[in-house]
Amino acid sequence: MALGGKGSGEFRNPGKTERRLSGDEAAVRDFLEELAQSGHSPRTLMAYRRDLDAFMRFLLLRGKGSPSDPSIDRTLALSYLFDLEQREYRPRSVLRILSSLRSFYQWLCRKGRCPSNPFEDLSGPRRPKTVPAVLTEREMATLLENRPGNSWEDRRDTAMLELFYLTGIRLSELAGLVRGDLSPGMDRVRVRGKGNKERMVPLLGVTRDLLQTFLHEADISPEDPLFAASPGGEALSIHQIGRIVRRRVRLSGLGDRGVTPHTFRHSCATHLLDRGMDLRKIQELLGHQSLGTTQKYTHVGLADLRRRYDQIRRKDVSDDDQGR
């Protein structure tokens, strides 16, 4: 089933040759179409689709003919969560699936197709608290300055990674940039975040200079991707950008640090916080809806502070031993 964008109508495929959809399929189609119209991304819609398809298969194995079957209750919902746990789904995945099913049943109840939401009050596994991996400013500078050559691809990658780090935008936001997102003075870039919400992010110093140099030789229209796989070609995918990041990590000798594309965003936020930037400003820059999401970077700063303190303490002890 094709996934469309906002108001695309691509969940519907009218025509004389269209096969008749079952009630369940039509319900899922209508639900996803409504999500598409409300601005959910194709990637999010694909996740909903996979989650709902898997649950439908589970219902069939349990002899349930429809998700609106009144016998589907909290006990069966708990059974499904237990089944996911037995199949060793990660807590993050279980929470996403639970969210998908809760939303679907809320929609069914609102449409009068289901008497109650069996997933309403269920809580999934507790998500483990993780401190995002970050690089120090010196390590990030090393990564960005280790440039393999001066080809068109090398200049593209350098400009792209500088923008990635110094703006702290998401990987999907980076991949979706087009030439027209840059302001005329190339001092700001328009970023489309989650739910198609737009924000303007400043471009300063070396990032703007590298973009100006890279784009000076490229004759592209406002609708063309800012970072294409080849001159005049399609936009780099998030997977291609991931490979570019891994290549630069190898060149910089940071291969043992577990650097991923998300490290750029985490490092940007942490470095801004370390330099005294207000947490609310960081929240606005990163496009976080909740300040609580941004506050995790304070924990990153504390973790790094503890690590540096431990290093200093070990050094002091070593110096004392040598002085005896």
Side-chain angles (χ1 to χ4, degrees):
M1 181 179 293
L3 295 180
K6 184 176 181 179
S8 66
E10 291 186 18
F11 288 106
R12 305 178 184 276
N13 184 24
K16 294 181 179 179
T17 60
E18 181 186 13
R19 69 178 179 85
R20 186 177 182 84
L21 297 178
S22 69
D24 294 346
E25 290 175 314
V28 171
R29 180 203 62 189
D30 293 345
F31 170 66
L32 294 177
E33 176 67 20
E34 193 168 300
L35 291 181
Q37 291 175 352
S38 65
H40 286 70
S41 71
R43 186 177 178 184
T44 299
L45 297 172
M46 284 292 293
Y48 270 104
R49 178 81 216 192
R50 287 194 301 269
D51 295 343
L52 293 174
D53 284 347
F55 183 62
M56 297 299 179
R57 290 192 294 270
F58 172 83
L59 292 180
L60 285 174
L61 291 173
R62 297 301 186 278
K64 308 296 181 182
S66 168
S68 56
D69 189 322
S71 66
I72 298 175
D73 56 10
R74 180 186 177 88
T75 300
L76 188 137
L78 283 169
S79 175
Y80 186 57
L81 294 183
F82 180 73
D83 182 69
L84 295 176
E85 182 181 336
Q86 291 297 103
R87 287 189 281 154
E88 298 184 349
Y89 274 64
R90 291 179 299 176
R92 183 185 297 271
S93 298
V94 175
L95 289 170
R96 190 205 67 237
I97 292 168
L98 179 58
S99 176
S100 298
L101 294 173
R102 186 183 292 121
S103 297
F104 178 58
Y105 272 92
Q106 284 174 346
W107 181 86
L108 285 175
C109 291
R110 194 170 66 247
K111 298 294 182 180
R113 304 186 188 186
C114 185
S116 63
N117 185 344
F119 292 92
E120 183 63 40
D121 299 320
L122 295 188
S123 58
R126 182 169 295 180
R127 181 179 295 177
K129 290 185 178 181
T130 57
V131 176
V134 297
L135 297 177
T136 66
E137 291 190 48
R138 179 174 295 181
E139 288 170 334
M140 184 58 74
T142 299
L143 190 156
L144 294 173
E145 291 168 4
N146 273 276
R147 303 168 186 173
N150 196 39
S151 66
W152 180 88
E153 288 83 2
D154 292 329
R155 292 193 296 278
R156 175 203 62 195
D157 296 349
T158 297
M160 179 179 67
L161 296 181
E162 286 277 358
L163 183 148
F164 197 16
Y165 164 57
L166 291 173
T167 60
I169 63 178
R170 299 178 177 91
L171 176 59
S172 58
E173 295 169 346
L174 177 69
L177 292 177
V178 297
R179 176 64 177 85
D181 289 328
L182 293 174
S183 64
M186 216 170 289
D187 58 349
R188 291 180 302 166
V189 60
R190 180 176 59 243
V191 178
R192 283 170 291 277
K194 293 182 177 180
N196 281 334
K197 291 184 178 179
E198 293 186 359
R199 65 187 189 278
M200 297 300 295
V201 177
L203 295 176
L204 303 170
V206 66
T207 305
R208 183 170 55 185
D209 295 342
L210 287 169
L211 278 171
Q212 287 175 332
T213 300
F214 171 64
L215 294 174
H216 179 72
E217 60 188 78
D219 183 21
I220 60 176
S221 68
E223 297 79 21
D224 289 334
L226 186 57
F227 301 112
S230 60
E234 297 291 326
L236 287 169
S237 69
I238 59 175
H239 301 294
Q240 289 172 314
I241 296 174
R243 286 196 291 270
I244 291 168
V245 168
R246 289 192 292 273
R247 182 186 181 211
R248 286 296 182 93
V249 169
R250 288 195 300 271
L251 285 172
S252 63
L254 296 171
D256 60 342
R257 292 299 309 275
V259 180
T260 70
H262 295 292
T263 303
F264 282 68
R265 180 170 167 87
H266 299 325
S267 298
C268 171
T270 303
H271 298 164
L272 290 174
L273 185 67
D274 289 344
R275 287 176 174 267
M277 189 172 186
D278 180 74
L279 202 60
R280 290 281 183 186
K281 292 292 185 183
I282 299 176
Q283 176 190 6
E284 182 181 342
L285 178 72
L286 299 183
H288 286 154
Q289 291 186 347
S290 167
L291 184 64
T293 305
T294 314
Q295 285 176 328
K296 66 184 178 183
Y297 295 107
T298 61
H299 301 301
V300 176
L302 287 172
D304 185 57
L305 183 62
R306 291 192 194 98
R307 179 176 60 83
R308 294 183 186 183
Y309 178 76
D310 288 342
Q311 289 175 341
I312 293 171
R313 288 287 296 162
R314 285 196 294 271
K315 182 177 183 299
D316 289 344
V317 170
S318 177
D319 290 343
D320 289 344
D321 290 342
Q322 290 176 6
R324 290 175 182 171

